[in-house]
Amino acid sequence: MNARAEAGPGAVPAVRRSRKAKRRHRRPAGPGLARPEAKGRAFARGFVRRLASGSRKPGRFGRGKLRPSPKGKRKANGDSSNPRNSATGRQWEKAYGKGYLQGYYDGGEGILEARLPADAVFPNVTVESVIAAGIAALRPQGLPLLGPAFVYEELERALTGGIPYSLVRLGDGELLAMAQETVMPAEEVARLGPFLSYAGVNVPDPQARDELAEAVRRASVVGVPLSRKPLFQPLLFKVWQAHGIRPDSVRLTSSTINYSLDEEGYWPKLMSGRRILAVGNAAEPLARALRKQGVQVTAAVGPVGGMNDWERAAREAAGCPFDLALVAAGIAAVPICVRLAETTGKVAVDFGHLADRMAGLREGPEIRR
């Protein structure tokens, strides 16, 4: 028996509703569950699921770019040429803004709130003012950094008096190399430092790690980063603790001291009347540029093939006559400078990408400091 007969005489036949009509029929009522909000929640849930699954095309707006509809119309309001105006872009901005505010609280006011006494309030006290007061109280515990003028005077005395002197600098590259299997696994070092192979260390390389630590112990002055980002000062002191290097046993300056000496005009004074040796991948162009300025460059040693090649480069450089060696060899510059100063009794400086700048070359990816 068919459905009409089963329903009995006079029954109204059932009408097949389209899927669209069924969805309209099932739409929840009430302002709290209105269709636009429900659709937005569904979009957000789906978007997050696609991101979590690693999908390269999150939804119909693949990679945040809108595709034209068959009629040539855009699927979202605004200028679709700008991903920020797409639905995906707006979702990203909203999520980013919310996360930024929460992170700003967690990293500042949240820390302060957890440490303030519960029986008092402090009107007009900001995180900045509390930090300033805390730094003032901790100032006696601070280790002094040698400024550009002081470093210049030391370099001048060493050059004039024939005193061995090595100035090295540490950035995130050197610190990550020293962190291998001491502060973090080598795999984590490789993930955080994809530039390390360019800088001269192929992770894992425990020999390079130990050679860097030994060079830091023996250097005359060590430039350290001022940045408090995770891979800079925080990592510096973790690495030194792991290697048994006491911060108060090292004479410190800023890791950008090479640039500070340049900005204050000290390099021409230091080079004047002295025999200069250029070492590193930019040694030849640096030597040419300095010679054009009347500087007496006796030799150029390079290129240097990273930490696996530093001893050869140091031996070759030690055989050249010089008073001041400018070493621009990435991470390998640290042990090269120390070895040159110790074996020749001369002055060696970790010159960094200042060599590229002086040579008129396009600077490569600097090891950040």
Side-chain angles (χ1 to χ4, degrees):
M1 185 178 294
N2 61 31
R4 176 181 288 185
E6 220 174 41
V12 178
V15 178
R16 289 178 60 86
R17 289 197 301 267
S18 66
R19 291 182 180 178
K20 187 174 182 180
K22 287 179 180 179
R23 286 197 300 269
R24 284 199 301 267
H25 181 73
R26 289 198 301 264
R27 183 175 63 190
L33 294 174
R35 181 176 173 79
E37 286 76 11
K39 186 175 181 180
R41 288 196 298 274
F43 175 86
R45 285 195 298 270
F47 183 70
V48 171
R49 280 197 302 271
R50 285 189 291 273
L51 289 180
S53 66
S55 171
R56 296 187 61 182
K57 294 183 178 180
R60 64 187 182 204
F61 307 112
R63 286 185 175 270
K65 296 181 179 179
L66 296 179
R67 300 175 181 174
S69 69
K71 295 182 181 180
K73 297 180 180 179
R74 299 296 182 178
K75 294 292 185 180
N77 295 328
D79 177 15
S80 59
S81 63
N82 183 355
R84 288 177 177 271
N85 291 330
S86 69
T88 303
R90 290 192 294 272
Q91 289 284 344
W92 271 109
E93 287 200 350
K94 183 177 180 180
Y96 177 86
K98 184 177 180 180
Y100 177 86
L101 291 175
Q102 184 63 43
Y104 191 84
Y105 168 80
D106 290 343
E109 296 287 355
I111 296 173
L112 179 58
E113 180 181 323
R115 286 158 177 77
L116 288 175
D119 58 353
V121 294
F122 299 83
N124 302 319
V125 169
T126 64
V127 173
E128 290 81 2
S129 64
V130 172
I131 292 175
I135 291 174
L138 292 173
R139 187 68 177 87
Q141 301 178 29
L143 299 177
L145 293 180
L146 307 179
F150 191 94
V151 172
Y152 161 71
E153 291 172 2
E154 283 206 343
L155 287 168
E156 187 66 49
R157 283 196 297 270
L159 287 165
T160 303
I163 302 170
Y165 192 96
S166 55
L167 170 58
V168 303
R169 304 176 305 116
L170 304 181
D172 55 349
E174 290 85 358
L175 296 176
L176 282 169
M178 294 171 68
Q180 298 176 80
E181 302 300 339
T182 55
V183 175
M184 63 183 76
E187 295 79 7
E188 182 73 359
V189 169
R191 185 185 70 81
L192 293 173
F195 56 88
L196 284 174
S197 58
Y198 164 83
V201 173
N202 294 312
V203 177
D205 192 341
Q207 182 176 343
R209 173 199 65 199
D210 297 340
E211 288 171 343
L212 281 170
E214 184 60 24
V216 168
R217 293 187 186 97
R218 293 157 60 175
S220 305
V221 174
V222 179
V224 296
L226 302 183
S227 170
R228 298 286 301 179
K229 291 181 179 178
L231 298 184
F232 293 88
Q233 251 190 54
L235 182 58
L236 167 73
F237 296 117
K238 290 178 183 177
V239 162
W240 281 10
Q241 183 177 20
H243 286 276
I245 301 173
R246 290 178 33 238
D248 59 359
S249 69
V250 182
R251 301 179 72 238
L252 304 174
T253 187
S254 164
S255 59
T256 57
I257 186 64
N258 55 333
Y259 291 104
S260 299
L261 291 169
D262 183 51
E263 290 163 2
E264 300 194 21
Y266 289 126
W267 285 120
K269 299 177 183 178
L270 291 168
M271 296 182 197
S272 178
R274 269 103 184 206
R275 297 171 300 171
I276 305 302
L277 169 65
V279 181
N281 295 344
E284 288 290 350
L286 175 62
R288 288 194 297 269
L290 292 177
R291 285 175 181 137
K292 288 180 181 179
Q293 300 173 25
V295 176
Q296 181 188 359
V297 181
T298 56
V301 175
V304 178
M307 285 295 292
N308 292 328
D309 190 39
W310 78 264
E311 289 185 291
R312 178 208 61 81
R315 282 194 303 270
E316 183 178 345
C320 302
F322 73 95
D323 300 309
L324 171 61
L326 307 177
V327 185
I331 294 173
V334 175
I336 289 175
C337 286
V338 173
R339 178 68 61 85
L340 278 178
E342 291 179 346
T343 58
T344 68
K346 305 296 184 180
V347 176
V349 175
D350 181 352
F351 212 51
H353 277 289
L354 183 57
D356 299 279
R357 180 187 295 181
M358 286 189 174
L361 302 176
R362 182 177 180 180
E363 297 186 23
E366 171 72 283
I367 302 174
R368 297 165 295 171
R369 302 175 194 276

